[in-house]
Amino acid sequence: MKIAVVAPGCTLKQEAAERVQALADERGDCELFIHPQCFLSDGHFAGPDEARLAALREVMADASVDAVWFARGGYGSNRIAEAAVADLPDAARTKVYMGYSDAGFLHAGFHKAGLECAWGPMPQDALRERGEEAIRRALDWLVGRDASTIEPEIEAPAMAYNLTVLSNLLGTPLEPDFSGVDLAVEEIGEHLYRIDRTMFHLTSSDNIRRVSRIRLGRVGDVLENEPVFAGDEVSIVAEWCSRSGIAFGGRADIGHDTGNRIVPFGSKNR
Amino acid sequence: MKIAVVAPGCTLKQEAAERVQALADERGDCELFIHPQCFLSDGHFAGPDEARLAALREVMADASVDAVWFARGGYGSNRIAEAAVADLPDAARTKVYMGYSDAGFLHAGFHKAGLECAWGPMPQDALRERGEEAIRRALDWLVGRDASTIEPEIEAPAMAYNLTVLSNLLGTPLEPDFSGVDLAVEEIGEHLYRIDRTMFHLTSSDNIRRVSRIRLGRVGDVLENEPVFAGDEVSIVAEWCSRSGIAFGGRADIGHDTGNRIVPFGSKNR
């Protein structure tokens, strides 16, 4: 089992790479290849678009690589996502792609192109408190498809997205078909009024209205609303679901935290 | 000339209302009706959706009202915009609607419905430093269509939007036709990486790609990017215009400030 790590958005911290490498070595059931591109830095990004795209295309085309693991989120994968799925080599179709947050731009375009994707923890999560749990969960799924790592209430086909990322990919060439999808969403570091605005945007989409239901993951580090917003993230999501005729399925066990579970995209299997 | 002020988003400050009333009285060429709804408060909003919608519909249907002036932005007009343009009374078509920022949701839906809209200063701007200039400019245009108040480089038909608001109305029933539009955009209180992401979203839209050009207003109170973003708001907007085949027309004289100029929507006249 060979897992390649590339950074389509922001730079991976060296310390995170070392911890993840140590955990993989300790297991002995997988080989981790952390692409040197992960440590490049060009302003906000882990190297210029060309370097991030080249590293991603390199591991996609490598038939010896079984899984591509996105190093971290931040921002930037949208800048290379459309090019990443152009003229796909055969080897790109025989592997799985995992990450979350900003990686949702890639998930969207990759799933649309027929590649196997999964929402799940990323190497940079090693630096969170109890981050090893998240890394072990990710490796348990990548290496052995351990069913206990999967978000427990999934009704396949499923997808998971960060709310703001999803809002920003609607109407772009990356937008996948949401028909019948069990859609889990989560958010981090936003005001409640912005979550309300994003839910307005999402639930106005005819494509999003074709989901089987929306479930709400954790909404972390909510910024202070001035004045206090009446309601919370659950009432906001429930209201917009109600207004748009989408079933609200309650909570989902995902989020920007070490409890973040795996959501295999579009899978018919648990 | 009767101008009605309603607050489709957040609550108008009493002090702002008093200053604007005094400026209107001093002119003697217009009658200002500040709807009591402007001072309601319900969590984030100037009263519940029903109250904000009812006040807006009331002044829209009032044949004695020549202009509807949105009291301020903040957030919330999207929650009532679609209902506001349903079954339009005739009187709604004989007046102009002015505001900016969050009011963009109304501008979009109203313009699409054939109503006359304009981007321009709002009553709450009276509280900004030298805010009287902005209020005088708005009244000079509302009362006398003073050409000197208009954004000087407009090539009609034109529109102006806050970037984040525009991003959040794409794909919704409010989205207007951007064909041939001279589109001015501005932003306030965002990180550069978010402006980059929003520009990706906007310029991926086939509808937006039909504009005659995009011009960039002022981008105020930019939040600190960590790490430092390579480039600035001008290079970001220019790059996404270049990537999407949209003409970049340079700067526009609009923004969340007292220099904010008028942009009449879709007008063929200066």
Side-chain angles (χ1 to χ4, degrees):
Chain A
M1 179 76 192
K2 183 172 174 184
I3 302 166
V5 179
V6 291
C10 294
T11 308
L12 178 62
K13 290 243 163 80
Q14 188 71 46
E15 187 186 352
E18 287 165 8
R19 290 194 196 180
V20 174
Q21 186 66 63
L23 286 166
D25 291 347
E26 186 184 286
R27 299 172 67 97
D29 60 2
C30 59
E31 176 195 349
L32 206 64
F33 166 60
I34 301 179
H35 197 292
Q37 173 270 324
C38 292
F39 307 110
L40 295 180
S41 176
D42 182 53
H44 190 90
F45 308 108
D49 289 354
E50 295 71 20
R52 304 198 316 283
L53 177 61
L56 175 54
R57 293 283 297 191
E58 176 191 327
V59 297
M60 290 171 77
D62 184 342
S64 77
V65 169
D66 302 294
V68 174
W69 199 10
F70 302 125
R72 64 172 295 190
Y75 167 68
S77 76
N78 61 313
R79 297 177 57 92
I80 59 171
E82 201 177 346
V85 291
D87 301 321
L88 282 175
D90 288 343
R93 300 188 181 279
T94 59
K95 47 180 63 73
V96 66
Y97 302 85
M98 191 162 85
Y100 71 105
S101 192
D102 180 67
F105 291 110
L106 296 171
H107 283 157
F110 281 32
H111 176 76
K112 190 175 182 179
L115 307 186
E116 186 186 358
C117 300
W119 168 283
M122 296 184 290
Q124 180 90 353
D125 286 321
L127 300 185
R128 295 182 190 272
E129 194 179 348
R130 301 194 308 177
E132 293 191 0
E133 291 177 22
I135 301 304
R136 287 204 173 91
R137 186 179 313 113
L139 290 173
D140 284 348
W141 189 80
L142 285 172
V143 175
R145 295 294 191 276
D146 180 346
S148 74
T149 64
I150 297 180
E151 204 286 330
E153 302 296 330
I154 280 180
E155 293 175 2
M159 293 186 190
Y161 283 99
N162 171 265
L163 273 175
T164 301
V165 167
L166 180 53
S167 172
N168 277 284
L169 66 81
L170 291 185
T172 76
L174 305 175
E175 182 179 339
D177 181 2
F178 286 100
S179 303
V181 166
D182 183 11
L183 177 62
V185 294
E186 57 87 53
E187 194 50 278
I188 184 84
E190 299 285 352
H191 299 84
L192 287 176
Y193 87 86
R194 295 183 80 118
I195 294 173
D196 196 77
R197 188 168 59 188
T198 303
M199 284 305 300
F200 157 78
H201 184 230
L202 292 182
T203 60
S204 294
S205 156
D206 288 336
N207 187 10
I208 292 286
R209 289 185 182 191
R210 288 193 283 267
V211 299
S212 66
R213 62 176 180 173
I214 288 178
R215 290 187 300 140
L216 179 61
R218 286 176 288 282
V219 175
D221 299 344
V222 175
L223 300 177
E224 189 179 1
N225 211 88
E226 169 50 33
V228 171
F229 200 93
D232 60 15
E233 62 266 35
V234 176
S235 65
I236 290 170
V237 172
E239 182 192 355
W240 285 106
C241 284
S242 169
R243 283 175 70 144
S244 59
I246 296 172
F248 176 54
R251 304 308 299 256
D253 193 7
I254 62 166
H256 269 71
D257 52 50
T258 53
N260 192 22
R261 300 276 207 120
I262 316 295
V263 177
F265 268 43
S267 171
K268 301 290 177 191
N269 307 309
R270 296 287 289 269
Chain B
M1 178 78 192
K2 183 172 175 184
I3 302 168
V5 179
V6 292
C10 294
T11 308
L12 178 63
K13 290 241 163 82
Q14 188 71 48
E15 188 186 351
E18 287 165 8
R19 290 194 196 181
V20 174
Q21 186 66 65
L23 287 166
D25 291 347
E26 185 184 290
R27 300 172 67 97
D29 60 1
C30 60
E31 176 194 351
L32 206 62
F33 166 60
I34 300 181
H35 197 291
Q37 174 270 324
C38 291
F39 307 110
L40 295 181
S41 176
D42 183 53
H44 189 91
F45 308 108
D49 289 355
E50 295 72 18
R52 304 198 316 283
L53 178 62
L56 175 55
R57 293 283 297 191
E58 177 191 326
V59 297
M60 290 171 77
D62 184 342
S64 77
V65 169
D66 303 294
V68 174
W69 198 10
F70 302 125
R72 64 172 295 191
Y75 168 68
S77 75
N78 61 313
R79 297 177 57 92
I80 60 170
E82 201 177 346
V85 290
D87 300 322
L88 282 176
D90 287 344
R93 301 188 181 279
T94 58
K95 46 180 64 75
V96 66
Y97 301 86
M98 191 163 83
Y100 71 104
S101 192
D102 180 67
F105 290 110
L106 296 170
H107 283 157
F110 281 31
H111 176 75
K112 191 175 180 178
L115 306 186
E116 186 186 358
C117 299
W119 167 284
M122 296 185 290
Q124 180 89 354
D125 286 322
L127 300 184
R128 296 182 189 271
E129 193 178 350
R130 300 193 311 176
E132 293 191 359
E133 291 177 23
I135 301 303
R136 287 203 172 92
R137 187 179 312 114
L139 291 172
D140 284 347
W141 188 80
L142 285 172
V143 174
R145 295 293 190 277
D146 180 345
S148 74
T149 64
I150 296 180
E151 204 286 330
E153 302 297 329
I154 281 180
E155 294 175 3
M159 294 186 189
Y161 283 99
N162 171 265
L163 271 175
T164 300
V165 166
L166 180 53
S167 172
N168 276 286
L169 67 81
L170 291 186
T172 77
L174 306 174
E175 181 179 340
D177 181 2
F178 287 99
S179 302
V181 166
D182 182 10
L183 176 62
V185 294
E186 58 86 55
E187 193 49 280
I188 184 84
E190 300 285 352
H191 298 85
L192 287 177
Y193 87 86
R194 296 183 79 120
I195 294 173
D196 196 77
R197 188 168 59 188
T198 302
M199 285 303 301
F200 157 78
H201 184 231
L202 292 183
T203 59
S204 294
S205 156
D206 288 337
N207 188 8
I208 294 286
R209 288 184 182 193
R210 288 193 281 269
V211 299
S212 66
R213 61 176 180 172
I214 289 179
R215 290 186 301 140
L216 178 63
R218 286 175 289 283
V219 175
D221 298 346
V222 175
L223 301 177
E224 190 180 1
N225 211 88
E226 169 50 34
V228 172
F229 201 92
D232 60 14
E233 62 266 33
V234 176
S235 65
I236 289 170
V237 172
E239 181 192 355
W240 284 106
C241 284
S242 169
R243 283 175 70 144
S244 59
I246 297 172
F248 176 54
R251 303 310 298 257
D253 192 9
I254 63 166
H256 269 71
D257 52 50
T258 52
N260 192 22
R261 299 277 206 120
I262 316 294
V263 178
F265 268 43
S267 171
K268 302 290 178 192
N269 306 311
R270 298 285 289 269

